[in-house]
Amino acid sequence: MIRESWVCQGIETLRCRIVGVVRLTKDEQTTLNNILASHPTFQHHGDVSGILSALSDKERAVVQKHLRSREQQRQIYERLASLQHLKYLDIGFEIQEYTGHQPRRTPDTLELSLESGLGHLGSLKNLEMFGFEGVEHRIDGKELEWMAGNWPELKLMHGLVDDHFEVAEPNMEKPRLREYMQTLRPDIMQVSFFRPSPSR
């Protein structure tokens, strides 16, 4: 995606699953959070000079993986940001019926956090629909505030609606995030692509 040049810069619809992104595991994220708390210079400026020598081998490996992830995501965001005519951007699951197998979230994809570079997508002023259903994102309140303020034409969002599948582990953050987005932009409709298969 980031190695090949794109010819269709004027496209208005893009649906694709972005995979292969370097992401920290939960344990690695905990390690990184502890490092950030102890080294505010790195936390605020990404400056690793002077701290790597003070870290253990495990901690250095986590920091280096984190930096690779940030650089990779930055390049992807910048590529998407170049598609300034986009009205429909969906990086989540395809429309599908639920047939008894729990849909798995995509772990190796964009975080969709401001720290990871979401702000690059501020160029997509024509965006009317944004889908990230099934993505292992790190969206929180500040990301929703950013979307509400930077995508004035946004009318539809896929990714914050409960799936209501009995075997699926519920995402307890979805209701909170969905309600907050509704307070920010009540004009944006929240929907899900997933639907139960017809009863037989």
Side-chain angles (χ1 to χ4, degrees), residues 9-13 81-88 123-124 126-127:
Q9 293 293 311
I11 62 173
E12 296 184 354
T13 298
S82 70
L83 305 176
Q84 297 185 17
H85 297 280
L86 274 184
K87 294 183 178 180
Y88 185 110
S123 62
L124 305 183
N126 298 313
L127 199 65

mmCIF file with all atom_site columns, all heavy atoms in Angstrom, residues 9-13 81-88 123-124 126-127:
data_model
loop_
_atom_site.group_PDB
_atom_site.id
_atom_site.type_symbol
_atom_site.label_atom_id
_atom_site.label_alt_id
_atom_site.label_comp_id
_atom_site.label_asym_id
_atom_site.label_entity_id
_atom_site.label_seq_id
_atom_site.pdbx_PDB_ins_code
_atom_site.Cartn_x
_atom_site.Cartn_y
_atom_site.Cartn_z
_atom_site.occupancy
_atom_site.B_iso_or_equiv
_atom_site.pdbx_formal_charge
_atom_site.auth_seq_id
_atom_site.auth_comp_id
_atom_site.auth_asym_id
_atom_site.auth_atom_id
_atom_site.pdbx_PDB_model_num
ATOM 1   N N   . GLN A 1 9   ? -6.095  9.165  -7.902 1.00 0.00 ? 9   GLN A N   1
ATOM 2   C CA  . GLN A 1 9   ? -6.159  10.149 -6.825 1.00 0.00 ? 9   GLN A CA  1
ATOM 3   C C   . GLN A 1 9   ? -7.537  10.802 -6.709 1.00 0.00 ? 9   GLN A C   1
ATOM 4   O O   . GLN A 1 9   ? -7.837  11.411 -5.690 1.00 0.00 ? 9   GLN A O   1
ATOM 5   C CB  . GLN A 1 9   ? -5.097  11.232 -7.064 1.00 0.00 ? 9   GLN A CB  1
ATOM 6   C CG  . GLN A 1 9   ? -3.670  10.736 -6.932 1.00 0.00 ? 9   GLN A CG  1
ATOM 7   C CD  . GLN A 1 9   ? -3.312  10.322 -5.523 1.00 0.00 ? 9   GLN A CD  1
ATOM 8   O OE1 . GLN A 1 9   ? -3.554  11.044 -4.571 1.00 0.00 ? 9   GLN A OE1 1
ATOM 9   N NE2 . GLN A 1 9   ? -2.737  9.133  -5.387 1.00 0.00 ? 9   GLN A NE2 1
ATOM 10  N N   . GLY A 1 10  ? -8.372  10.667 -7.733 1.00 0.00 ? 10  GLY A N   1
ATOM 11  C CA  . GLY A 1 10  ? -9.671  11.322 -7.709 1.00 0.00 ? 10  GLY A CA  1
ATOM 12  C C   . GLY A 1 10  ? -10.813 10.437 -7.256 1.00 0.00 ? 10  GLY A C   1
ATOM 13  O O   . GLY A 1 10  ? -11.978 10.845 -7.359 1.00 0.00 ? 10  GLY A O   1
ATOM 14  N N   . ILE A 1 11  ? -10.524 9.233  -6.733 1.00 0.00 ? 11  ILE A N   1
ATOM 15  C CA  . ILE A 1 11  ? -11.596 8.321  -6.340 1.00 0.00 ? 11  ILE A CA  1
ATOM 16  C C   . ILE A 1 11  ? -12.389 8.883  -5.165 1.00 0.00 ? 11  ILE A C   1
ATOM 17  O O   . ILE A 1 11  ? -11.869 9.621  -4.332 1.00 0.00 ? 11  ILE A O   1
ATOM 18  C CB  . ILE A 1 11  ? -11.057 6.919  -5.990 1.00 0.00 ? 11  ILE A CB  1
ATOM 19  C CG1 . ILE A 1 11  ? -10.098 6.983  -4.779 1.00 0.00 ? 11  ILE A CG1 1
ATOM 20  C CG2 . ILE A 1 11  ? -10.377 6.282  -7.185 1.00 0.00 ? 11  ILE A CG2 1
ATOM 21  C CD1 . ILE A 1 11  ? -9.679  5.611  -4.292 1.00 0.00 ? 11  ILE A CD1 1
ATOM 22  N N   . GLU A 1 12  ? -13.677 8.522  -5.108 1.00 0.00 ? 12  GLU A N   1
ATOM 23  C CA  . GLU A 1 12  ? -14.555 8.981  -4.040 1.00 0.00 ? 12  GLU A CA  1
ATOM 24  C C   . GLU A 1 12  ? -14.906 7.863  -3.057 1.00 0.00 ? 12  GLU A C   1
ATOM 25  O O   . GLU A 1 12  ? -15.415 8.145  -1.968 1.00 0.00 ? 12  GLU A O   1
ATOM 26  C CB  . GLU A 1 12  ? -15.842 9.557  -4.631 1.00 0.00 ? 12  GLU A CB  1
ATOM 27  C CG  . GLU A 1 12  ? -15.615 10.801 -5.480 1.00 0.00 ? 12  GLU A CG  1
ATOM 28  C CD  . GLU A 1 12  ? -16.909 11.401 -5.980 1.00 0.00 ? 12  GLU A CD  1
ATOM 29  O OE1 . GLU A 1 12  ? -17.980 10.792 -5.765 1.00 0.00 ? 12  GLU A OE1 1
ATOM 30  O OE2 . GLU A 1 12  ? -16.853 12.496 -6.575 1.00 0.00 ? 12  GLU A OE2 1
ATOM 31  N N   . THR A 1 13  ? -14.644 6.617  -3.430 1.00 0.00 ? 13  THR A N   1
ATOM 32  C CA  . THR A 1 13  ? -14.965 5.470  -2.578 1.00 0.00 ? 13  THR A CA  1
ATOM 33  C C   . THR A 1 13  ? -13.754 4.564  -2.446 1.00 0.00 ? 13  THR A C   1
ATOM 34  O O   . THR A 1 13  ? -13.130 4.205  -3.445 1.00 0.00 ? 13  THR A O   1
ATOM 35  C CB  . THR A 1 13  ? -16.140 4.661  -3.172 1.00 0.00 ? 13  THR A CB  1
ATOM 36  O OG1 . THR A 1 13  ? -17.301 5.488  -3.238 1.00 0.00 ? 13  THR A OG1 1
ATOM 37  C CG2 . THR A 1 13  ? -16.443 3.445  -2.303 1.00 0.00 ? 13  THR A CG2 1
ATOM 38  N N   . ALA A 1 81  ? -4.521  10.341 3.093  1.00 0.00 ? 81  ALA A N   1
ATOM 39  C CA  . ALA A 1 81  ? -4.798  11.784 3.106  1.00 0.00 ? 81  ALA A CA  1
ATOM 40  C C   . ALA A 1 81  ? -4.668  12.403 1.727  1.00 0.00 ? 81  ALA A C   1
ATOM 41  O O   . ALA A 1 81  ? -5.254  13.461 1.465  1.00 0.00 ? 81  ALA A O   1
ATOM 42  C CB  . ALA A 1 81  ? -3.855  12.483 4.084  1.00 0.00 ? 81  ALA A CB  1
ATOM 43  N N   . SER A 1 82  ? -3.923  11.754 0.835  1.00 0.00 ? 82  SER A N   1
ATOM 44  C CA  . SER A 1 82  ? -3.750  12.294 -0.511 1.00 0.00 ? 82  SER A CA  1
ATOM 45  C C   . SER A 1 82  ? -5.007  12.117 -1.356 1.00 0.00 ? 82  SER A C   1
ATOM 46  O O   . SER A 1 82  ? -5.149  12.760 -2.401 1.00 0.00 ? 82  SER A O   1
ATOM 47  C CB  . SER A 1 82  ? -2.564  11.609 -1.210 1.00 0.00 ? 82  SER A CB  1
ATOM 48  O OG  . SER A 1 82  ? -2.857  10.248 -1.516 1.00 0.00 ? 82  SER A OG  1
ATOM 49  N N   . LEU A 1 83  ? -5.944  11.265 -0.902 1.00 0.00 ? 83  LEU A N   1
ATOM 50  C CA  . LEU A 1 83  ? -7.190  11.018 -1.646 1.00 0.00 ? 83  LEU A CA  1
ATOM 51  C C   . LEU A 1 83  ? -8.250  12.016 -1.193 1.00 0.00 ? 83  LEU A C   1
ATOM 52  O O   . LEU A 1 83  ? -9.233  11.673 -0.542 1.00 0.00 ? 83  LEU A O   1
ATOM 53  C CB  . LEU A 1 83  ? -7.661  9.576  -1.421 1.00 0.00 ? 83  LEU A CB  1
ATOM 54  C CG  . LEU A 1 83  ? -6.640  8.485  -1.740 1.00 0.00 ? 83  LEU A CG  1
ATOM 55  C CD1 . LEU A 1 83  ? -7.194  7.115  -1.373 1.00 0.00 ? 83  LEU A CD1 1
ATOM 56  C CD2 . LEU A 1 83  ? -6.226  8.538  -3.209 1.00 0.00 ? 83  LEU A CD2 1
ATOM 57  N N   . GLN A 1 84  ? -8.056  13.263 -1.541 1.00 0.00 ? 84  GLN A N   1
ATOM 58  C CA  . GLN A 1 84  ? -8.857  14.348 -0.979 1.00 0.00 ? 84  GLN A CA  1
ATOM 59  C C   . GLN A 1 84  ? -10.288 14.415 -1.509 1.00 0.00 ? 84  GLN A C   1
ATOM 60  O O   . GLN A 1 84  ? -11.092 15.191 -1.002 1.00 0.00 ? 84  GLN A O   1
ATOM 61  C CB  . GLN A 1 84  ? -8.143  15.678 -1.203 1.00 0.00 ? 84  GLN A CB  1
ATOM 62  C CG  . GLN A 1 84  ? -6.810  15.751 -0.486 1.00 0.00 ? 84  GLN A CG  1
ATOM 63  C CD  . GLN A 1 84  ? -6.146  17.110 -0.609 1.00 0.00 ? 84  GLN A CD  1
ATOM 64  O OE1 . GLN A 1 84  ? -6.770  18.101 -0.954 1.00 0.00 ? 84  GLN A OE1 1
ATOM 65  N NE2 . GLN A 1 84  ? -4.860  17.156 -0.309 1.00 0.00 ? 84  GLN A NE2 1
ATOM 66  N N   . HIS A 1 85  ? -10.603 13.581 -2.498 1.00 0.00 ? 85  HIS A N   1
ATOM 67  C CA  . HIS A 1 85  ? -11.975 13.553 -3.013 1.00 0.00 ? 85  HIS A CA  1
ATOM 68  C C   . HIS A 1 85  ? -12.817 12.459 -2.361 1.00 0.00 ? 85  HIS A C   1
ATOM 69  O O   . HIS A 1 85  ? -13.989 12.312 -2.702 1.00 0.00 ? 85  HIS A O   1
ATOM 70  C CB  . HIS A 1 85  ? -11.968 13.358 -4.531 1.00 0.00 ? 85  HIS A CB  1
ATOM 71  C CG  . HIS A 1 85  ? -11.314 14.479 -5.288 1.00 0.00 ? 85  HIS A CG  1
ATOM 72  N ND1 . HIS A 1 85  ? -11.959 15.670 -5.555 1.00 0.00 ? 85  HIS A ND1 1
ATOM 73  C CD2 . HIS A 1 85  ? -10.061 14.597 -5.809 1.00 0.00 ? 85  HIS A CD2 1
ATOM 74  C CE1 . HIS A 1 85  ? -11.142 16.467 -6.220 1.00 0.00 ? 85  HIS A CE1 1
ATOM 75  N NE2 . HIS A 1 85  ? -9.989  15.848 -6.381 1.00 0.00 ? 85  HIS A NE2 1
ATOM 76  N N   . LEU A 1 86  ? -12.219 11.717 -1.436 1.00 0.00 ? 86  LEU A N   1
ATOM 77  C CA  . LEU A 1 86  ? -12.931 10.600 -0.816 1.00 0.00 ? 86  LEU A CA  1
ATOM 78  C C   . LEU A 1 86  ? -14.204 11.064 -0.109 1.00 0.00 ? 86  LEU A C   1
ATOM 79  O O   . LEU A 1 86  ? -14.192 12.026 0.656  1.00 0.00 ? 86  LEU A O   1
ATOM 80  C CB  . LEU A 1 86  ? -12.039 9.892  0.201  1.00 0.00 ? 86  LEU A CB  1
ATOM 81  C CG  . LEU A 1 86  ? -11.092 8.803  -0.291 1.00 0.00 ? 86  LEU A CG  1
ATOM 82  C CD1 . LEU A 1 86  ? -10.373 8.178  0.896  1.00 0.00 ? 86  LEU A CD1 1
ATOM 83  C CD2 . LEU A 1 86  ? -11.824 7.734  -1.086 1.00 0.00 ? 86  LEU A CD2 1
ATOM 84  N N   . LYS A 1 87  ? -15.279 10.329 -0.372 1.00 0.00 ? 87  LYS A N   1
ATOM 85  C CA  . LYS A 1 87  ? -16.533 10.523 0.356  1.00 0.00 ? 87  LYS A CA  1
ATOM 86  C C   . LYS A 1 87  ? -16.862 9.307  1.212  1.00 0.00 ? 87  LYS A C   1
ATOM 87  O O   . LYS A 1 87  ? -17.593 9.414  2.200  1.00 0.00 ? 87  LYS A O   1
ATOM 88  C CB  . LYS A 1 87  ? -17.680 10.785 -0.626 1.00 0.00 ? 87  LYS A CB  1
ATOM 89  C CG  . LYS A 1 87  ? -17.566 12.087 -1.398 1.00 0.00 ? 87  LYS A CG  1
ATOM 90  C CD  . LYS A 1 87  ? -18.781 12.302 -2.294 1.00 0.00 ? 87  LYS A CD  1
ATOM 91  C CE  . LYS A 1 87  ? -18.694 13.637 -3.030 1.00 0.00 ? 87  LYS A CE  1
ATOM 92  N NZ  . LYS A 1 87  ? -19.892 13.845 -3.899 1.00 0.00 ? 87  LYS A NZ  1
ATOM 93  N N   . TYR A 1 88  ? -16.320 8.161  0.826  1.00 0.00 ? 88  TYR A N   1
ATOM 94  C CA  . TYR A 1 88  ? -16.653 6.899  1.476  1.00 0.00 ? 88  TYR A CA  1
ATOM 95  C C   . TYR A 1 88  ? -15.356 6.155  1.751  1.00 0.00 ? 88  TYR A C   1
ATOM 96  O O   . TYR A 1 88  ? -14.675 5.724  0.821  1.00 0.00 ? 88  TYR A O   1
ATOM 97  C CB  . TYR A 1 88  ? -17.560 6.098  0.536  1.00 0.00 ? 88  TYR A CB  1
ATOM 98  C CG  . TYR A 1 88  ? -18.124 4.806  1.072  1.00 0.00 ? 88  TYR A CG  1
ATOM 99  C CD1 . TYR A 1 88  ? -19.473 4.684  1.372  1.00 0.00 ? 88  TYR A CD1 1
ATOM 100 C CD2 . TYR A 1 88  ? -17.322 3.686  1.238  1.00 0.00 ? 88  TYR A CD2 1
ATOM 101 C CE1 . TYR A 1 88  ? -20.002 3.485  1.843  1.00 0.00 ? 88  TYR A CE1 1
ATOM 102 C CE2 . TYR A 1 88  ? -17.835 2.497  1.711  1.00 0.00 ? 88  TYR A CE2 1
ATOM 103 C CZ  . TYR A 1 88  ? -19.175 2.399  1.992  1.00 0.00 ? 88  TYR A CZ  1
ATOM 104 O OH  . TYR A 1 88  ? -19.680 1.216  2.458  1.00 0.00 ? 88  TYR A OH  1
ATOM 105 N N   . SER A 1 123 ? -7.358  16.255 5.818  1.00 0.00 ? 123 SER A N   1
ATOM 106 C CA  . SER A 1 123 ? -7.526  16.731 4.440  1.00 0.00 ? 123 SER A CA  1
ATOM 107 C C   . SER A 1 123 ? -8.782  16.160 3.785  1.00 0.00 ? 123 SER A C   1
ATOM 108 O O   . SER A 1 123 ? -9.197  16.639 2.725  1.00 0.00 ? 123 SER A O   1
ATOM 109 C CB  . SER A 1 123 ? -6.303  16.350 3.599  1.00 0.00 ? 123 SER A CB  1
ATOM 110 O OG  . SER A 1 123 ? -6.151  14.938 3.539  1.00 0.00 ? 123 SER A OG  1
ATOM 111 N N   . LEU A 1 124 ? -9.403  15.171 4.406  1.00 0.00 ? 124 LEU A N   1
ATOM 112 C CA  . LEU A 1 124 ? -10.573 14.508 3.799  1.00 0.00 ? 124 LEU A CA  1
ATOM 113 C C   . LEU A 1 124 ? -11.851 15.256 4.172  1.00 0.00 ? 124 LEU A C   1
ATOM 114 O O   . LEU A 1 124 ? -12.749 14.727 4.827  1.00 0.00 ? 124 LEU A O   1
ATOM 115 C CB  . LEU A 1 124 ? -10.646 13.047 4.255  1.00 0.00 ? 124 LEU A CB  1
ATOM 116 C CG  . LEU A 1 124 ? -9.390  12.203 4.010  1.00 0.00 ? 124 LEU A CG  1
ATOM 117 C CD1 . LEU A 1 124 ? -9.631  10.765 4.454  1.00 0.00 ? 124 LEU A CD1 1
ATOM 118 C CD2 . LEU A 1 124 ? -8.963  12.259 2.548  1.00 0.00 ? 124 LEU A CD2 1
ATOM 119 N N   . ASN A 1 126 ? -14.347 16.099 2.416  1.00 0.00 ? 126 ASN A N   1
ATOM 120 C CA  . ASN A 1 126 ? -15.570 15.666 1.740  1.00 0.00 ? 126 ASN A CA  1
ATOM 121 C C   . ASN A 1 126 ? -16.105 14.344 2.285  1.00 0.00 ? 126 ASN A C   1
ATOM 122 O O   . ASN A 1 126 ? -17.123 13.842 1.800  1.00 0.00 ? 126 ASN A O   1
ATOM 123 C CB  . ASN A 1 126 ? -15.315 15.513 0.239  1.00 0.00 ? 126 ASN A CB  1
ATOM 124 C CG  . ASN A 1 126 ? -14.926 16.821 -0.418 1.00 0.00 ? 126 ASN A CG  1
ATOM 125 O OD1 . ASN A 1 126 ? -15.556 17.844 -0.192 1.00 0.00 ? 126 ASN A OD1 1
ATOM 126 N ND2 . ASN A 1 126 ? -13.875 16.794 -1.224 1.00 0.00 ? 126 ASN A ND2 1
ATOM 127 N N   . LEU A 1 127 ? -15.431 13.777 3.289  1.00 0.00 ? 127 LEU A N   1
ATOM 128 C CA  . LEU A 1 127 ? -15.803 12.452 3.783  1.00 0.00 ? 127 LEU A CA  1
ATOM 129 C C   . LEU A 1 127 ? -17.211 12.446 4.366  1.00 0.00 ? 127 LEU A C   1
ATOM 130 O O   . LEU A 1 127 ? -17.535 13.230 5.247  1.00 0.00 ? 127 LEU A O   1
ATOM 131 C CB  . LEU A 1 127 ? -14.800 12.002 4.846  1.00 0.00 ? 127 LEU A CB  1
ATOM 132 C CG  . LEU A 1 127 ? -14.745 10.503 5.142  1.00 0.00 ? 127 LEU A CG  1
ATOM 133 C CD1 . LEU A 1 127 ? -14.266 9.733  3.912  1.00 0.00 ? 127 LEU A CD1 1
ATOM 134 C CD2 . LEU A 1 127 ? -13.829 10.226 6.328  1.00 0.00 ? 127 LEU A CD2 1
#
